[in-house]
Amino acid sequence: MADHDIYGTSTHTADDLVRLVSARLGMTFTERESHFRGVYHLADDHGVRVEIQPNETPGDDEAEPFDDAHPECRVLVLTTTTAPGVTLRARLESIEGLLHLRHGTV
């Protein structure tokens, strides 16, 4: 079972969030590039996976929102944990301008 959360912001850039989330979580991000997602940042440490990406992802003809329910959020933070991430959630929610958008389990 995995916990998934999505956070979003319209006030921070992806680079800002990499710096802020790194400081809050003590994780190191690497920049990746994907045809589907564009440039995104990934940290994966001890069962906690955090991805920072633009909400606007490359499409066939034009950019499309990754999370179309929240198009106002320019940048998203996606987390995946093997157990409920209560501490993780509290640390991320302490970042001003970063809003918790959705939670799910699989």
Side-chain angles (χ1 to χ4, degrees):
M1 186 194 265
D3 249 25
H4 300 280
D5 287 284
I6 298 178
Y7 302 82
T9 185
S10 60
T11 59
H12 298 292
T13 66
D15 290 336
D16 291 341
L17 280 177
V18 166
R19 184 178 47 78
L20 292 167
V21 173
S22 290
R24 290 293 195 298
L25 303 181
M27 298 178 86
T28 302
F29 285 85
T30 57
E31 187 175 287
R32 305 270 178 107
E33 190 166 352
S34 163
H35 184 307
F36 171 70
R37 297 168 62 181
V39 175
Y40 68 101
H41 305 269
L42 172 66
D44 198 347
D45 188 26
H46 296 77
V48 177
R49 182 180 178 99
V50 180
E51 301 168 66
I52 298 172
Q53 71 174 54
N55 191 16
E56 196 172 86
T57 58
D60 292 334
D61 296 326
E62 59 185 54
E64 301 173 7
F66 181 84
D67 184 350
D68 56 5
H70 299 92
E72 72 282 1
C73 294
R74 296 179 308 149
V75 182
L76 301 174
V77 177
L78 299 94
T79 66
T80 304
T81 58
T82 55
V86 177
T87 302
L88 173 67
R89 192 172 303 136
R91 288 181 180 167
L92 290 174
E93 288 178 353
S94 73
I95 297 173
E96 187 174 333
L98 187 61
L99 306 172
H100 186 257
L101 304 176
R102 189 168 51 248
H103 170 78
T105 56
V106 179

